Amino acid sequence: MTEIDWDKYAPETQAIRVGHRRSAEEEHSLPIYATSSYVFESAEAAALRFTGQESGNIYSRFTNPTVDAFQQRLALMEQGERCVAFASGMAAIMAVGMGLLKSGDHVVCSRNVFGNTILLFQNYFGKFGVSTDCVNLIDLVAWEAAIKPNTRFLFVETPSNPLIEIVDIAALAKIAHKHDCLLIVDNVFCTPILQQPLTLGADIVLHSATKYIDGQGRCVGGAVIANNDIIDQFIYPYLRTGGATMSAFNAWVFASGLETLAVRMQAHCDNAFTLAKWLEQQPQVLKVHYPGLKSHAQHELAKRQQSHFGGVVSFELKGGKDKAWQLINATEMLSITANLGDVKTTITHPASTTHGRLAPEIRALAGIKANLVRISVGLENVLDIQRDLERGL
Ligand SMILES: *Cc1c(COP(=O)(O)O)cnc(C)c1O
C-alpha cells in the first residue's frame, strides 16, 4: 500500500484517518496497545533501538502505538511537525518549562491564564531560580515592556479563562521573535478546529486533552505540539526521562474524541452564541463576556483569528457573590463543576473555585469578580439550558 500524504487533507479528515498502523489482525478501529514493553528480535536489534539508530517501540513510557496515533492526528490538525502527549495538561506545561528553562531564565506570562499555570511558574519554577512576570493578556505594549534579556518565552492562553479575552497571536509572535523569545499558546479553548496558532507564528501549542478533545469528561491528558527541532531537543527527551506519560487507554479515548471534534465544536459554538445573546437580554445580567457579541472588545479580532467564537460564556450578575451562588444553586440540570469542554453544560464560580487559590490582588488584576459566573455550554438543547438558568435569574 502506498503511503498517503495526509498534509493535503483537511483537519476533519486527518482527525479520523491519520495515525492507525493496521496490525496483522487487520482491525478497522484503533486498538488499545496495553503493553508496557516490546520484544526485540535479537540483542543486536535491541541495542539499535535503544541508541535510536533504528526507530520503533521500546517501552511505553515514551513509545506506544495508541499514544502515537493520537500524537500524529493532533500534530497534523495543528499543522505542526510533531506532538508529544502527556499525562495531563499541567504535565504538558511542566514539560515545556522543564525542557526549555534553566536557572536565571525569565518568563512573561499572561495574567489571564489557567490558575495552576501561574502557580506552577511562580511557586515551582520559582524555587529553581526562574522568575516570572505576569502581564495583561490584551496589552501588547505591556508584553513588550516586560521582556528582559533573559526572557526565554511568552506564555499565553487565548481566548482566556474565564473572561474570554483574545490576543492577536500574530502580533505577539512578532514581538516574541524580535526579542529572540518563543511564543507558547495554550489552545484549549479553541482546539485546532477554531484556531491553529502555529500557522499564526506561535512556536509551541499546548493542550489539555481533558477538555474538548475528550469532549465527554472522562480522561485527563495533555499534549505539546511544535517543530521537530523543539520536540527533539527539549520535549521528547524530557518525556522519556521525566515520565509524565499518557496511558494507552487515555490516548485511545482522545484519539476517538478527535474524530468527532469538528462537529462537536460547531455545535458547542452555536449553542454558546445563542445562549450569550439570550443572557445579554436578561435584566439581572450586568455584562456578558463572549467574543461573538458586538459588545466584546475584541470582536473584530476574534472574527479574523478564529473560525468561530468558542463554547464558553461568562457573565456578571447584578449583585455580588451571593447572587452568583444563588443562580448556580438554583439550577437543576447543569453540572456544578469546574471542568469544561464536555457535552454536558457545566457552571462554575471562578472566584471561589478555579481562581480561588490566587492572591486576592492577583485575582482582582485578572478581572475575576465575585459576581462572575462561567458556563461551558454543552450539547443539550439550548432552550433547556436557558430554562435551567431562568430558575435563578
Ligand atoms: C484544564 C486546563 C489546563 C490544565 O489541564 P489538565 O488536563 O487539567 O491538567 C491548562 N490550560 C487550560 C486552558 C485548561 O482549561
Side-chain angles (χ1 to χ4, degrees), residues 88-90 93 114 117 157 186 188-189 208 210-211 220-221 340:
S88 69
M90 288 316 302
I93 300 174
F114 192 62
T117 304
E157 200 182 300
D186 179 328
V188 167
F189 270 50
S208 164
T210 317
K211 313 296 166 54
V220 175
L340 64 94

Side-chain angles (χ1 to χ4, degrees), residues 86-93 112-117 155-161 186-189 206-211 219-223 254 338-340 354 374:
F86 286 92
S88 69
M90 288 316 302
I93 300 174
N112 317 76
V113 294
F114 192 62
N116 284 302
T117 304
F155 189 103
V156 72
E157 200 182 300
T158 179
S160 68
N161 177 29
D186 179 328
N187 201 25
V188 167
F189 270 50
L206 287 168
H207 277 287
S208 164
T210 317
K211 313 296 166 54
C219 295
V220 175
F254 295 135
N339 195 31
L340 64 94
T354 47
R374 189 200 73 189

Side-chain angles (χ1 to χ4, degrees), residues 11 20 22 35 60 73 81 118 156 168-169 173 176 199 204 212 218 316 326-328 331 350-351 357 371 373 386 392:
H20 176 199
R22 202 161 288 154
T35 179
S60 281
R73 277 181 196 180
E81 289 177 347
I118 296 189
V156 72
D168 187 332
I169 295 174
T199 67
I204 298 178
Y212 289 107
R218 297 160 295 193
E316 292 167 34
Q326 212 175 69
L327 174 87
I328 291 169
T331 59
R357 282 188 298 155
N371 63 351
V373 173
Q386 284 174 12

Side-chain angles (χ1 to χ4, degrees), residues 137 140 143-144 147 152-156 158 167-185 196-205 301 305:
L137 169 72
L140 289 175
W143 278 102
E144 185 153 23
I147 295 174
R152 183 74 171 108
F153 58 72
L154 314 184
F155 189 103
V156 72
T158 179
V167 74
D168 187 332
I169 295 174
L172 198 56
K174 278 209 185 89
I175 293 173
H177 298 155
K178 183 173 140 196
H179 296 276
D180 262 338
C181 307
L182 300 176
L183 175 63
I184 302 179
V185 178
Q196 295 160 322
L198 297 176
T199 67
L200 300 169
D203 301 284
I204 298 178
V205 165
L301 172 61
Q305 182 162 281

Side-chain angles (χ1 to χ4, degrees), residues 236-249:
Y236 189 67
Y238 172 72
L239 171 76
R240 188 168 176 162
T241 312
T245 308
M246 176 181 283
S247 75
F249 177 79

